[in-house]
């Protein structure tokens, strides 16, 4: 059962995030999703270069990460609201991952999309752990997550027209392998967390830096390659279509 106070808080958080999403999307669309100039990275492409580490790209990628988080938060919580209004309590899918995480493990296993995490944990990690041990099983779980997201993108950007007009440059077709590569990179981060976390610089940061600063640094660690995850959403027109359900600030 959900209490009246919990329901009110849930509705308040959805409303605040909805307006933050509308404001941020209006801002980014005004600048064609690249408010920080000098960012040469093509968001739907799959390559590695020094451009991925430019401050302008990292700043734009952080804005995109916020956009994706706000979008997913509103989507999942509006869906859960139907059950909440009937008096049922629901488990939060996102637990403030971008501002309250202190380690990569906390981010990916306790705060970001706990629904998918639970499925992967019980469906992939725990069974694999019986055969391969925890480290290889962890890495395998992120690879499977990448393959799962590849399939999800095939549905999200499915267009029957591409079966007839395969050479039409107006049709958006995601590049295969980007998502798996992104989760491969995350798997490496997760494997390096424990050995590097014992070193003095990281121990000092963990002890002295506030949580929000550590969370931002964790985000920066992912940002060079994060467009492999959300770049298709932008270039493929997802956010442009989604914006029809939001309010806008437009220059007249």
């Amino acid at each position: 059962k959900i209490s009246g106070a919990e329901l009110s808080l849930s509705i308040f958080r959805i409303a605040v995030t909805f307006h933050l999403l509308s404001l941020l999307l209006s801002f980014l669309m005004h600048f064609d999703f690249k408010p920080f100039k000098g960012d040469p990275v093509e968001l739907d492409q799959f390559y590695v270069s020094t451009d991925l580490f430019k401050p302008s790209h990292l700043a734009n990628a952080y804005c995109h990460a916020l956009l994706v988080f706000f979008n997913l938060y509103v989507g999942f919580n509006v869906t859960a609201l139907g059950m909440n209004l009937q008096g049922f309590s629901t488990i939060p899918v996102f637990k403030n991952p971008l501002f309250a995480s202190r380690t990569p493990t906390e981010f990916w296993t306790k705060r970001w999309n706990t629904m998918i995490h639970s499925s992967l944990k019980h469906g992939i990690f725990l069974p694999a752990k019986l055969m391969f041990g925890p480290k290889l099983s962890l890495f395998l779980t992120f690879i499977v997550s990448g393959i799962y997201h590849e399939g999800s993108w095939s549905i999200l950007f499915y267009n029957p027209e591409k079966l007839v007009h395969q050479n039409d440059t107006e049709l958006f077709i995601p590049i295969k392998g980007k998502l798996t590569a992104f989760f491969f990179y995350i798997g490496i981060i997760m494997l390096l967390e424990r050995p590097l976390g014992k070193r003095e610089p990281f121990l000092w940061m963990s002890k002295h830096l506030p949580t929000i600063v550590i969370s931002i640094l964790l985000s920066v660690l992912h940002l060079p390659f994060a467009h492999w995850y959300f770049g298709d959403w932008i270039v493929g027109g997802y956010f442009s279509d989604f914006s029809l359900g939001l309010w806008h600030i437009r220059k007249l």
Side-chain angles (χ1 to χ4, degrees), residues 173-190:
I173 303 177
I175 297 174
K176 300 295 184 183
K178 288 189 301 181
L179 290 157
T180 303
F182 176 64
F183 283 96
F184 177 91
Y185 173 67
I186 295 172
I188 293 175
I189 292 175
M190 297 287 283

Side-chain angles (χ1 to χ4, degrees), residues 60-82:
N60 286 328
Y62 189 73
C63 292
H64 301 156
L66 288 173
L67 182 66
V68 170
F69 168 60
F70 291 156
N71 175 264
L72 292 175
Y73 183 90
V74 170
F76 276 102
N77 282 278
V78 167
T79 303
L81 185 61

Side-chain angles (χ1 to χ4, degrees), residues 189-223:
I189 292 175
M190 297 287 283
L191 290 176
L192 292 176
E193 177 186 339
R194 286 192 175 182
L196 292 181
K198 297 176 182 178
R199 296 183 178 273
E200 188 61 34
F202 296 100
L203 290 174
W204 183 90
M205 287 191 291
S206 178
K207 184 177 180 180
H208 294 90
L209 295 182
T211 297
I212 190 170
V213 174
I214 293 178
S215 295
I216 293 173
L217 291 175
L218 286 175
S219 297
V220 171
L221 187 63
H222 295 77
L223 293 181

Side-chain angles (χ1 to χ4, degrees), residues 11 18 23-24 27 72 79 83 100-101 111 113 123 126 128 145 161 174 179 191 199-200 222 226 251:
I11 294 174
F18 174 84
L23 180 62
L24 181 58
F27 171 73
L72 292 175
T79 303
M83 297 298 295
S101 300
R111 295 189 177 277
N113 203 337
L126 292 179
S145 180
E161 291 294 321
L179 290 157
L191 290 176
R199 296 183 178 273
E200 188 61 34
H222 295 77
K251 183 177 180 180

Side-chain angles (χ1 to χ4, degrees), residues 4 134 149 151 240 246:
H149 282 81
S240 297
L246 307 174

Side-chain angles (χ1 to χ4, degrees), residues 13 89 172 184 208 252:
R13 287 174 173 170
S89 179
F172 179 74
F184 177 91
H208 294 90
L252 299 178

Side-chain angles (χ1 to χ4, degrees), residues 93-187:
V93 177
F94 291 91
K95 300 179 180 179
N96 198 17
L98 294 181
F99 305 108
S101 300
R102 295 190 62 84
T103 65
T105 296
E106 182 180 1
F107 182 97
W108 288 108
T109 66
K110 296 181 179 180
R111 295 189 177 277
W112 181 270
N113 203 337
T114 57
M115 181 175 66
I116 295 297
H117 163 70
S118 179
S119 299
L120 290 171
K121 177 181 178 180
H122 295 282
I124 305 298
F125 177 74
L126 292 179
K129 187 179 177 182
L130 299 175
M131 296 181 288
F132 304 116
K135 292 183 179 180
L136 182 57
S137 299
L138 175 67
F139 192 72
L140 177 63
T141 300
F142 277 96
I143 296 298
V144 172
S145 180
I147 296 172
Y148 164 80
H149 282 81
E150 299 274 0
S152 298
W153 264 228
S154 298
I155 298 172
L156 181 62
F157 295 106
Y158 174 74
N159 189 334
E161 291 294 321
K162 72 181 180 183
L163 301 177
V164 181
H165 308 287
Q166 294 187 13
N167 296 321
D168 190 344
T169 57
E170 295 298 320
L171 294 177
F172 179 74
I173 303 177
I175 297 174
K176 300 295 184 183
K178 288 189 301 181
L179 290 157
T180 303
F182 176 64
F183 283 96
F184 177 91
Y185 173 67
I186 295 172

